[in-house]
Amino acid sequence: MPYDGRLLAGVTVLMAVVEAGTMTRAAEALGLTQSGVGRAIQRLEVRVGVRLLDRTTRTLRLTDEGRRFWERVGPLLDGIEEAALDAAGSTRTVRGRLRVNVDPFFSRLVLSRELARFLAAHRELRLELIMRDQIGDLVADGFDMALRFGEPPVMGFFARKLLESRILTVASPAYLAAHGRPAHPRDLLDHACIDYQDPLTGRPFAWEFRRGDEVLPVRQPAQLMVSDVETMIGACCEGAGIAQVMQLGTRHILAQGRLVEIFPDWPGETFPLYAIYPSRQHRAAKVRVFTEWCLTLLGGENELDAAATR
């Protein structure tokens, strides 16, 4: 098949439409008319022989064939962009838009404190942090990457583990003074607990305790279930019950004495944080730089968690 420059132009328009979410916004970004964008997409679909977008008067979404096409050509366009920057002598310059699907708790807890410095170091970068409770479809939603707690999806993504945070079982001093301190995880059956809702299933996360090779699941009674970490921590601090929290983000609360770890002799349960990408190959410089920045922010957390489990 001979090279056709219109094919690359059509691909560029398709990428802009998917990232913008509407043809109107894509047209504005590209400096084209909306009808011009529509014609470019139609020519591309004719050229490749499949329908790439399902479009109605209100919504746009990639077809299955369009999603596979996006997954193949998106990284290649990133490679072209990087090659152009290299040719211009800008190998160390991070440019363009970086759109990240990020866990709300992690964004508030870790990223927000250092964002000013990161942006000051990369003034040609536009960073979009979109807080989501679920990873969703990174390609269709126009994300370059995601930062999510928990095990990543098995298919369709490449994941890099950034952190393993210990899970702590905690209560306030006032709660323990009123109800006593459980000596063993099984004693939780006699206490009020606070559940945290798994956003994927809508059900509470199961409580599990680990010590070496020993694994002990506990079905704790819960009068309260929440879907927000800060609400859970606040309620626990006020004596509403016993909760399980990540060590990431709660060290200062324990150091202040507002919460007490109940079972330090069961230190083995952890919860991972992953960086997740639509593709393993041709990751843009902006994505690599942002990932390495996150690792730098988490460096101290990794070292403290490792020391705590020795």
Side-chain angles (χ1 to χ4, degrees):
M1 182 181 295
Y3 171 76
D4 184 352
R6 291 174 298 179
L7 177 62
L8 181 58
V11 170
T12 302
V13 172
L14 175 67
M15 299 299 117
V17 169
V18 174
E19 290 179 357
T22 70
M23 287 193 178
T24 300
R25 289 199 293 266
E28 293 173 353
L30 294 170
L32 300 174
T33 64
Q34 186 173 345
S35 60
V37 169
R39 287 194 299 271
I41 296 297
Q42 290 174 355
R43 286 195 296 267
L44 178 62
E45 290 175 331
V46 171
R47 185 69 173 81
V48 300
V50 295
R51 188 173 183 82
L52 301 173
L53 284 175
D54 283 329
R55 39 197 182 271
T56 68
T57 55
R58 294 186 177 181
T59 62
L60 284 172
R61 59 173 298 173
L62 288 166
T63 63
D64 290 340
E65 294 81 5
R67 182 175 293 104
R68 288 195 294 270
F69 186 77
W70 165 280
E71 290 171 351
R72 293 289 300 275
V73 303
L76 298 178
L77 287 182
D78 286 339
I80 292 173
E81 180 182 4
E82 287 191 63
L85 293 176
D86 289 346
S90 301
T91 55
R92 297 181 181 179
T93 302
V94 178
R95 297 175 176 172
R97 185 183 75 159
L98 177 62
R99 184 173 165 86
V100 184
N101 173 323
V102 60
D103 178 271
F105 177 67
F106 180 72
S107 181
R108 291 193 297 266
L109 176 73
V110 177
L111 299 185
S112 61
R113 298 177 299 184
E114 300 293 337
L115 281 173
R117 294 183 186 179
F118 180 77
L119 295 174
H122 304 287
R123 295 192 177 276
E124 296 185 59
L125 178 71
R126 173 180 169 81
L127 179 61
E128 297 182 6
L129 298 179
I130 310 300
M131 291 34 160
R132 297 280 177 87
D133 290 327
Q134 300 184 36
I135 186 171
D137 188 327
L138 295 184
V139 174
D141 293 338
F143 287 108
D144 298 288
M145 62 179 294
L147 294 169
R148 314 300 313 175
F149 287 107
E151 293 302 325
V154 177
M155 300 295 292
F157 300 104
F158 174 69
R160 177 180 181 182
K161 187 183 290 185
L162 304 183
L163 175 78
E164 285 273 0
S165 181
R166 285 185 60 217
I167 297 298
L168 311 180
T169 306
V170 297
S172 69
Y175 177 89
L176 297 177
H179 304 280
R181 178 170 180 156
H184 190 275
R186 294 192 187 92
D187 296 338
L188 291 173
L189 298 176
D190 299 321
H191 287 266
C193 295
I194 304 173
D195 273 337
Y196 184 72
Q197 184 185 59
D198 184 340
L200 295 179
T201 66
R203 297 190 295 272
F205 277 103
W207 287 33
E208 191 173 81
F209 296 85
R210 293 175 178 263
R211 181 170 55 188
D213 295 332
E214 186 177 1
V215 179
L216 177 65
V218 173
R219 293 182 59 86
Q220 77 290 349
Q223 187 179 9
L224 173 65
M225 183 172 75
V226 300
S227 61
D228 176 72
V229 173
E230 291 180 323
T231 300
M232 178 177 66
I233 293 173
C236 189
C237 288
E238 295 301 321
I242 297 174
Q244 285 200 323
V245 300
M246 285 186 291
Q247 190 168 30
L248 175 68
T250 56
R251 284 194 180 90
H252 66 291
I253 300 176
L254 274 77
Q256 294 166 0
R258 296 166 59 198
L259 290 177
V260 176
E261 183 180 3
I262 299 175
F263 305 119
D265 54 335
W266 290 80
E269 188 185 3
T270 62
F271 204 55
L273 173 71
Y274 281 91
I276 304 172
Y277 314 98
S279 171
R280 178 188 296 269
Q281 297 179 329
H282 303 292
R283 215 162 297 139
K286 60 190 176 184
V287 174
R288 294 197 302 269
V289 166
F290 184 78
T291 302
E292 294 303 319
W293 175 65
C294 290
L295 279 170
T296 299
L297 296 182
L298 292 168
E301 298 289 343
N302 275 311
E303 293 172 4
L304 289 170
D305 278 356
T309 55
R310 290 192 187 112

